[in-house]
Amino acid sequence: LWLKIRSWLLIERAVGQQIWLSAMGKKEPKEVVEEKAAEEEEEEPRVSLYVSPLATPLVTDKLLARSLKLIKKSVSEKKTRRGVPECTKAIRKGQQGICFLAGDIFPMDVFAHIPTLCEEKGIYYVYVKSRHELGAACQTRRPISLIMVMEPPADSAYSSTYQQVVAGIKAVHPYM
């Protein structure tokens, strides 16, 4: 049903044209395709309007840039755990790393247990302002609420970045 409704949606363009698209295989005019491509290029990054009062410590500036760089490198080496169930399982198994939590998730009950688990197991955790920032760092358009970067071996490409981020988290974290 949703596909039928979606296929008959009216798309209104800035030019004032109204074009009906159908599931019957009608193709869009070249102008519309070009406008869509231009809109995708002009798409602004999403701004987080909500930050939870529990989101402490919230990383900013230089530490945030280093953290996002660390996430990119670890994702490329496949040394991350993504999502609440996967991260919870990794923490309970005793795997070491850094947890990055999104500060704009509502309700916070979704992963309110993660900071306590991290403190019990001695794992560093920190909040990032937006789940969209975490998603962008993971090189995906999908927003991510929680990601855990696993501790790298000494000869890894991102071990120095990991140590810098850990030192920064120790400086800003009130409980570690």
Side-chain angles (χ1 to χ4, degrees):
L1 179 68
W2 171 246
L3 291 175
K4 286 183 181 179
I5 294 171
R6 195 170 124 210
S7 65
W8 294 101
L9 285 176
L10 173 63
I11 298 175
E12 196 170 309
R13 298 286 170 209
V15 183
Q17 296 176 343
Q18 293 183 348
I19 301 170
W20 285 91
L21 300 177
S22 71
M24 300 299 181
K26 290 183 184 177
K27 294 187 177 180
E28 299 179 12
K30 274 187 178 178
E31 303 156 352
V32 176
V33 173
E34 290 172 0
E35 286 178 15
K36 279 186 178 179
E39 286 177 9
E40 288 176 5
E41 290 175 5
E42 295 173 2
E43 188 174 307
E44 297 177 12
R46 293 190 174 184
V47 178
S48 176
L49 299 175
Y50 170 78
V51 177
S52 173
L54 301 176
T56 316
L58 191 65
V59 291
T60 56
D61 303 330
K62 195 171 186 178
L63 182 57
L64 176 64
R66 279 191 182 147
S67 300
L68 297 178
K69 184 179 175 182
L70 170 68
I71 291 171
K72 272 187 185 175
K73 287 181 178 180
S74 63
V75 164
S76 67
E77 291 191 16
K78 299 196 184 314
K79 296 288 183 183
T80 57
R81 302 287 177 259
R82 217 184 291 190
V84 178
E86 200 173 333
C87 289
T88 304
K89 190 163 83 174
I91 293 168
R92 287 194 174 136
K93 284 184 177 180
Q95 296 178 355
Q96 291 297 309
I98 304 172
C99 279
F100 294 95
L101 301 107
D104 65 342
I105 301 295
F106 184 81
M108 283 297 286
D109 300 345
V110 174
F111 59 82
H113 62 287
I114 298 290
T116 344
L117 279 175
C118 289
E119 287 175 13
E120 287 174 1
K121 299 288 184 170
I123 297 172
Y124 296 105
Y125 70 93
V126 74
Y127 287 89
V128 178
K129 188 175 182 184
S130 168
R131 61 183 181 251
H132 299 288
E133 285 179 359
L134 285 178
C138 291
Q139 300 163 349
T140 179
R141 294 180 116 191
R142 183 111 176 116
I144 296 173
S145 60
L146 170 63
I147 188 165
M148 182 176 180
V149 175
M150 307 309 292
E151 188 172 13
D155 62 340
S156 178
Y158 68 96
S159 61
S160 64
T161 310
Y162 182 86
Q163 295 304 324
Q164 289 175 344
V165 171
V166 166
I169 291 173
K170 284 180 183 177
V172 299
H173 204 295
Y175 308 113
M176 294 285 180

